[in-house]
């Protein structure tokens, strides 16, 4: 009988540390699996579904010329917006008489500034204007917005030109 008995001494402190690290390791592996595996709410890339934008409308605007009348005192001017299917191509004031230009000197420079910003951004959001021309700017922006709303909702009208 030459078998030697071996005695192994385990310290409780080492067992606790080993158990804690093992549990943390398992939790880390589970967390990594949850992060990198696709979730249930994600779409399967092999299944192709039509995009929501493509099914709703193919274009942003109905191409055409849309005008909104702006009454200033006893005179009126028209704000004309020309759009194609995806963008604003032109914004101008029509029927601007000398009397209106004289009575409202901030009208033309403010309109030019707003038009430049709208044409660059293709949106009416975050348009800046000076405090001196706040009310003039707001009136002009409202007229442009009305014309763009007509351009978005012109499907029932049949033609692009509206008053």
């Amino acid at each position: 009988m030459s078998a030697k008995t071996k005695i192994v001494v385990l310290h409780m402190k080492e067992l606790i540390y080993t158990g804690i690290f093992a549990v943390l390791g398992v939790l880390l592996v589970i967390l990594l699996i949850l992060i990198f595996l696709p979730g249930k709410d994600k779409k399967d890339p092999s299944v192709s579904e039509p995009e929501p934008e493509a099914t709703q409308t193919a274009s942003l605007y109905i191409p055409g010329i849309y005008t909104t009348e702006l009454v200033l005192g006893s005179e009126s001017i028209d704000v004309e917006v020309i759009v194609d299917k995806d963008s604003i191509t032109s914004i101008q004031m029509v029927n601007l008489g000398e009397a209106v230009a004289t009575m409202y000197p901030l009208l033309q420079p403010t309109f030019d500034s707003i038009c430049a910003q709208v044409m660059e951004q293709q949106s009416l959001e975050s348009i800046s204007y000076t405090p001196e021309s706040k009310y003039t700017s707001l009136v002009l922006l409202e007229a442009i917005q009305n014309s763009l709303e007509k351009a978005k909702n012109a499907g029932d009208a049949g033609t692009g030109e509206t008053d």
Side-chain angles (χ1 to χ4, degrees), residues 31 47 79 93:
L31 180 66
V47 177
V79 175
M93 283 192 290

Side-chain angles (χ1 to χ4, degrees), residues 80-96:
E80 181 180 86
V81 178
I82 302 172
V83 296
D84 61 14
K85 68 179 187 172
D86 294 322
S87 64
I88 303 166
T89 58
S90 172
I91 303 172
Q92 55 189 340
M93 283 192 290
V94 182
N95 302 329
L96 178 63

